[in-house]
Amino acid sequence: GRDRRAAPGGDWGAVWEGLATETRKGVALPESANLPLETASRAPGKWMFMIRMPNGRTLKHGFDGTQGWEDRGRVASVEPDAILDETLIYDPFWVIRIRDYFPTLTLAGIERNGDGNVYAIEAKPANGRTRILFFDVRQGLLTRAGKTIYADYRESGGVRVPFLVRYGAQTFRFTEIRHGDPVDEALFRMPVPPAPSAAQVPAKVQENLLSADQILERYLAAIGGRETFSRQKTQLRRGVLKEDAQNVPFETVAKAPGKWLLKLETGGTSPDREGCNGVAGWSESGDVVKDMDPKRTA
């Protein structure tokens, strides 16, 4: 993916390999909003992305080279395959380490793309799903990686970079891209949320804190008591499920312990049904009967 004709020194790749940091500023364009955004990257493989929301809060995503995270007011880890998608958006340095991210690269062929052709390469990571990389046949530029689209390449700091990146409904337009500026290493680390101190919990609340078992016992008491409820062996319910603009009649039958049946009158010759016999779950729609994911029976 190097274009030796245009680089000042004759080799864009050699210039990229001499860079250590990149910072970008611009706007995110989800639908009609223009949200200020900033990114910071450090080679190899560290990045941070931040959007300023209209309410003054910030949305952040980052990767410290080992762990991916997001902060939407609550800090959480992000699984590796999703972090790879975000790396393709936010980390410009992945392009000179493509084989580190995708050890297996296979040319799939040449495809038509707009007014030109692109090479299509199947890129398989060590773990996770395969992405398709598209390189413009004429210029050699990367135009797409998986769901990420790159456009409006311009020279910045001796290299060519896309000033427009799209991912699904999101569009990121950069107004400033700089290389070599100092970047604080702390930007890439997962934030540690402060633990609430006793002083932050009102005294009355602290006095009324209950254990999980106590809360469950209060719930059983509120619905009639454990003893009374344990005498109920079966239950029948009928009602209407509101789905979009439709009202779908339904009926459920349950029997302790752990057996239940749901019937939905969807308008077919027979109702759709789902059930669990206490061990395994199943679903039936028309003539199709199949096992149910164990997570759905819980």
Side-chain angles (χ1 to χ4, degrees):
R2 298 180 181 179
D3 185 343
R4 298 176 184 271
R5 297 169 299 172
D11 190 344
W12 290 110
V15 179
W16 266 113
E17 289 164 2
L19 299 176
T21 66
E22 183 189 274
T23 56
R24 293 184 277 182
K25 293 183 179 179
V27 291
L29 309 167
E31 298 176 352
S32 59
N34 291 349
L35 305 178
L37 69 87
E38 298 178 19
T39 74
S41 308
R42 180 189 296 276
K46 299 179 182 180
W47 55 264
M48 184 279 299
F49 167 81
M50 177 177 68
I51 288 181
R52 300 187 187 279
M53 307 302 288
N55 59 9
R57 294 185 178 181
T58 58
L59 181 152
K60 297 180 181 180
H61 289 216
F63 185 66
D64 64 2
T66 303
Q67 181 180 37
W69 54 270
E70 66 177 11
D71 183 356
R72 299 172 176 264
R74 181 178 179 182
V75 179
S77 297
V78 178
E79 57 94 10
D81 206 47
I83 281 295
L84 179 53
D85 276 337
E86 295 190 349
T87 294
L88 303 182
I89 303 172
Y90 308 132
D91 180 14
F93 294 107
W94 82 270
V95 297
I96 59 171
R97 301 173 57 230
I98 289 180
R99 284 201 177 273
D100 290 346
Y101 293 96
F102 300 106
T104 304
L105 297 173
T106 305
L107 178 63
I110 296 180
E111 299 182 11
R112 192 70 180 172
N113 181 44
D115 296 330
N117 294 326
V118 292
Y119 293 111
I121 294 179
E122 294 182 357
K124 184 173 179 57
N127 296 292
R129 68 185 188 282
T130 297
R131 277 78 165 175
I132 306 298
L133 310 182
F134 296 95
F135 294 88
D136 181 84
V137 169
R138 184 172 58 87
Q139 295 185 334
L141 295 172
L142 177 68
T143 61
R144 182 166 181 169
K147 296 180 180 179
T148 304
I149 297 173
Y150 311 94
D152 190 18
Y153 275 84
R154 306 182 207 168
E155 184 176 345
S156 175
V159 294
R160 294 176 72 182
V161 291
F163 274 68
L164 185 69
V165 178
R166 292 192 179 96
Y167 183 87
Q170 291 271 11
T171 297
F172 308 107
R173 180 171 291 282
F174 301 105
T175 56
E176 179 184 71
I177 297 180
R178 298 172 60 89
H179 297 91
D181 288 354
V183 174
D184 189 348
E185 191 76 18
L187 287 175
F188 311 121
R189 290 196 288 268
M190 184 173 179
V192 179
S197 64
Q200 292 174 305
V201 182
K204 188 174 292 186
V205 173
Q206 291 186 54
E207 293 171 2
N208 294 330
L209 288 179
L210 302 175
S211 68
D213 287 339
Q214 289 173 319
I215 293 171
L216 292 177
E217 287 300 324
R218 289 187 66 187
Y219 166 67
L220 289 172
I223 62 175
R226 179 188 293 273
E227 184 176 344
T228 301
F229 206 75
S230 64
R231 290 199 295 267
Q232 308 298 321
K233 300 300 182 184
T234 63
Q235 184 186 80
L236 171 67
R237 292 183 292 184
R238 293 191 177 97
V240 176
L241 172 67
K242 293 186 178 296
E243 189 173 61
D244 297 328
Q246 294 183 319
N247 293 334
V248 180
F250 74 86
E251 177 180 296
T252 68
V253 181
K255 181 177 181 180
K259 300 177 182 180
W260 55 267
L261 173 69
L262 164 67
K263 293 194 294 184
L264 293 169
E265 300 291 346
T266 57
T269 56
S270 61
D272 288 354
R273 303 195 304 164
E274 293 185 352
C276 179
N277 62 8
V279 178
W282 52 271
S283 65
E284 177 184 24
S285 181
D287 296 329
V288 179
V289 179
K290 57 185 179 180
D291 294 333
M292 186 183 297
D293 186 331
K295 293 180 181 178
R296 292 191 59 196
T297 64

